[in-house]
Amino acid sequence: MPSTMPMPIDSDAGRPRLAPHVRLTFDPARQRYVLLTPETVTVLNDTGAAILELCDGERTVAGILTELHARYDRVVDDEVRLFLTDLLAKRRVEVSDG
Amino acid sequence: MDRPFGLLAELTYACPLHCPYCSNPLNLGDYCDELTTQEWQRVLAEASELGVLQLHLSGGEPLQRRDLVEIVRSARGVGLYTNLITSGFGLSPRRAELLRAAGLDHVQISIQADEPTLADRIAGARSFERKKAAARLVKSLGWPLTVNVVLHRHNIDRVDRILDMAADLGADRIELANTQYYGWAWRNRDGLLPSRAQLECAEATVRARRGRLDGRIEIIYVVPDYYSRYPKPCMGGWGRRQLTVVPNGDVLPCPTAHALPLPRVSVREHPLAWIWERSPLFQRFRGTGWMPHPCRSCGRREIDFGGCRCQAFQLTGDAARTDPVCHLSPDHGLVAAAVRAANSDTQPARTPLTFRPHPDRPVKG
Ligand SMILES: C[S@@+](CC[C@H](N)C(=O)[O-])C[C@H]1O[C@@H](n2cnc3c(N)ncnc32)[C@H](O)[C@@H]1O
Ligand code: SF4
Ligand code: SF4
């Protein structure tokens, strides 16, 4: 199953998506977006939520960056890459190439 | 006060298996007056309002509840992430499809070992092949699968083969959980506690395999607290992140607090929000004000919260003492003695194990 093999965000051509056991949802009690796994809750800020909503397995990292720049004034590309790399290491996100 | 993130719903203590490491309480028969479907639905709605995001459906064996599909549907209806924690025993293809359609998010199946003779001996029933079939069924329906294996003296030498099995089954994650000594496991502690040599060998295997399997299967390794210098931050702090509702509707800050000499509180008598915010039970060990010496002045008091109240009670008879697992605890000798016994040459390799029985229970749901 090569297409589901997680790999590092070492190029902007990868297509990130949430790992199968992960759900992104809005938490009405806390009024925040959260990322859920069976054992963890990650409370997200608005930028984090915006990035993850774009991780649909179709868009490339480059595509996500373009989209974010179109929506927000101050987007630091390396911070977005770092955010995704961290979630990749924690296996909340997977990346397929091609 | 924080809002809880997780609700552990122990739907029933009925279970077809007999694991001697089972953390369920010894007095299983006292929980047979189970909540009805409607009562659970109310609890789930109240939990969601209170801020709960994750629902863990467990037991006993949750598949023994005939209303499981309905409960899952209601949970998804109020927006909860739903996780089924099961032995896999009783997961027919039809049931699985219904659960999938109801929106169940994740399945965790526990398996006792990597081969049938040992696995069935530990489970106290022929179950290994059916568990494997259940795991394959879960994957074939496109669910994420976590395989859970509880580790102890009788299977910890097989971690390498256990990891192979989980990979073979297509598991996304494997949880290697060292036995925690509550309930039946507490009763069987001396027959379950592994030696230090066993543990070190298993941990070396986990490290090596993490490197090799990297990218395929996630390995979650739950450390054995008897061999740790510091206690586990039990439940992330008493009444801070999690709550448990047991089969008869009693609410507990942690799934093993049944035996603590504290006032009980039930969803049959109070709303969940009141229980979380105001009940004496949930306030008893919240924060740091209750702490004894040495925790009170310790730099780790907001990290591990003085450890586990149930373990303190079990070992010392006083739930308000420092968890004896901590090497700073004045009672640490109690844990050290158990560890010494597990490592002595005279430790009988076959300390007899008491298997968990079936509770007598009228079928609900
Ligand atoms: C009490 S069981 C109930 C669910 C189901 N009957 C099962 O065994 O999978 C919940 C989970 O805790 C694990 N477990 C049971 N006793 C344990 C113990 N003493 N220490 C650590 N994990 C334990 C089981 O393997 C299972 O994953
Ligand atoms: S006896 Fe085994 S299968 Fe049954 S509830 Fe306990 S741990 Fe789960
Ligand atoms: S003394 Fe108490 S707070 Fe400090 S490490 Fe030990 S258990 Fe934790």
Side-chain angles (χ1 to χ4, degrees):
Chain A
M1 34 176 187
S3 67
T4 64
M5 284 270 278
M7 49 176 262
I9 307 248
D10 51 8
S11 93
D12 285 356
R15 301 172 197 278
R17 61 163 176 271
L18 295 183
H21 65 289
V22 177
R23 183 136 70 85
L24 174 69
T25 187
F26 185 74
D27 171 9
R30 298 175 183 79
Q31 292 287 308
R32 300 287 286 277
Y33 279 92
V34 287
L35 202 59
L36 303 174
T37 77
E39 294 89 22
T40 64
V41 178
T42 312
V43 180
L44 299 167
N45 60 23
D46 291 346
T47 328
I51 296 170
L52 289 175
E53 272 179 335
L54 294 169
C55 292
D56 55 8
E58 302 282 322
R59 286 187 177 84
T60 60
V61 174
I64 291 171
L65 289 170
T66 311
E67 184 70 37
L68 289 169
H69 280 290
R71 287 196 210 167
Y72 302 97
D73 287 343
R74 290 146 53 103
V75 175
V76 182
D77 289 3
D78 276 343
E79 281 178 11
V80 176
R81 291 190 190 101
L82 210 63
F83 175 77
L84 287 174
T85 303
D86 176 56
L87 288 174
L88 193 71
K90 292 181 178 144
R91 296 179 185 257
R92 313 269 157 80
V93 165
E94 300 176 346
V95 180
S96 51
D97 51 357
Chain B
M1 188 186 316
D2 296 312
R3 293 166 173 277
F5 286 106
L7 169 65
L8 174 66
E10 293 190 334
L11 298 178
T12 178
Y13 285 143
C15 179
L17 305 185
H18 304 279
C19 314
Y21 60 72
C22 183
S23 55
N24 284 173
L26 297 175
N27 55 333
L28 291 165
D30 293 349
Y31 300 89
C32 292
D33 183 16
E34 294 179 2
L35 294 183
T36 62
T37 314
Q38 291 72 26
E39 284 174 312
W40 275 114
Q41 287 167 331
R42 173 172 64 78
V43 169
L44 298 178
E46 289 183 9
S48 164
E49 257 170 58
L50 188 57
V52 167
L53 297 166
Q54 292 151 317
L55 174 68
H56 306 281
L57 295 157
S58 184
E61 179 44 62
L63 289 167
Q64 296 270 314
R65 284 282 300 215
R66 286 193 301 226
D67 55 358
L68 183 63
V69 173
E70 246 177 293
I71 290 176
V72 167
R73 199 178 298 120
S74 305
R76 283 302 310 259
V78 295
L80 299 173
Y81 181 103
T82 49
N83 178 21
L84 178 66
I85 302 181
T86 177
S87 68
F89 208 77
L91 187 67
S92 65
R94 161 122 188 100
R95 200 93 188 281
E97 277 161 26
L98 289 172
L99 286 166
R100 187 82 175 128
L104 181 67
D105 288 287
H106 177 266
V107 182
Q108 172 176 316
I109 296 183
S110 62
I111 306 186
Q112 281 67 13
D114 60 292
E115 58 93 10
T117 312
L118 179 61
D120 292 350
R121 184 159 67 77
I122 299 170
R126 278 269 288 274
S127 54
F128 180 71
E129 295 300 340
R130 284 169 70 176
K131 283 163 175 276
K132 291 213 316 192
R136 294 206 179 90
L137 177 59
V138 164
K139 285 312 293 177
S140 74
L141 290 177
W143 261 311
L145 170 69
T146 298
V147 168
N148 159 281
V149 179
V150 177
L151 298 180
H152 44 73
R153 171 173 285 269
H154 306 279
N155 66 1
I156 194 166
D157 299 331
R158 309 181 64 90
V159 161
D160 219 17
R161 280 164 286 188
I162 288 171
L163 289 169
D164 287 340
M165 171 189 69
D168 269 1
L169 290 173
D172 302 276
R173 312 187 319 146
I174 168 134
E175 181 178 270
L176 295 168
N178 276 285
T179 304
Q180 306 206 11
Y181 296 102
Y182 304 105
W184 296 90
W186 167 247
R187 162 160 306 180
N188 288 310
R189 184 190 68 181
D190 295 344
L192 293 173
L193 194 61
S195 72
R196 190 176 296 278
Q198 283 185 299
L199 202 65
E200 280 171 3
C201 186
E203 291 181 354
T205 304
V206 169
R207 279 193 298 274
R209 293 292 293 257
R210 271 203 177 123
R212 266 206 290 142
L213 289 175
D214 195 32
R216 287 215 290 129
I217 183 168
E218 180 180 4
I219 305 176
I220 301 148
Y221 177 75
V222 182
V223 301
D225 63 352
Y226 268 54
Y227 281 94
S228 308
R229 274 165 70 78
Y230 296 109
K232 56 186 177 294
C234 194
M235 308 310 292
W238 183 272
R240 200 160 161 268
R241 305 177 71 89
Q242 313 273 340
L243 70 171
T244 298
V245 178
V246 303
N248 68 348
D250 283 2
V251 191
L252 300 172
C254 117
T256 57
H258 310 69
L260 297 186
L262 294 172
R264 54 177 285 273
V265 63
S266 167
V267 294
R268 284 184 162 142
E269 283 137 39
H270 296 282
L272 209 56
W274 182 90
I275 293 172
W276 178 259
E277 287 157 14
R278 302 196 190 282
S279 68
L281 175 63
F282 275 78
Q283 302 198 57
R284 179 64 183 87
F285 298 117
R286 206 172 243 150
T288 55
W290 61 273
M291 284 185 176
H293 173 77
C295 299
R296 193 183 306 157
S297 53
C298 176
R300 287 179 60 89
R301 67 183 179 277
E302 304 268 5
I303 297 173
D304 62 35
F305 311 101
C308 170
R309 298 304 87 227
C310 305
Q311 194 145 266
F313 177 70
Q314 252 164 6
L315 286 159
T316 74
D318 179 357
R321 288 182 75 77
T322 297
D323 185 339
V325 155
C326 181
H327 71 294
L328 301 171
S329 154
D331 306 309
H332 184 62
L334 296 165
V335 169
V339 167
R340 229 174 5 255
N343 287 282
S344 74
D345 299 336
T346 57
Q347 150 79 22
R350 299 191 195 290
T351 308
L353 298 172
T354 306
F355 286 81
R356 172 203 188 282
H358 296 302
D360 297 314
R361 152 188 181 267
V363 179
K364 266 257 173 85

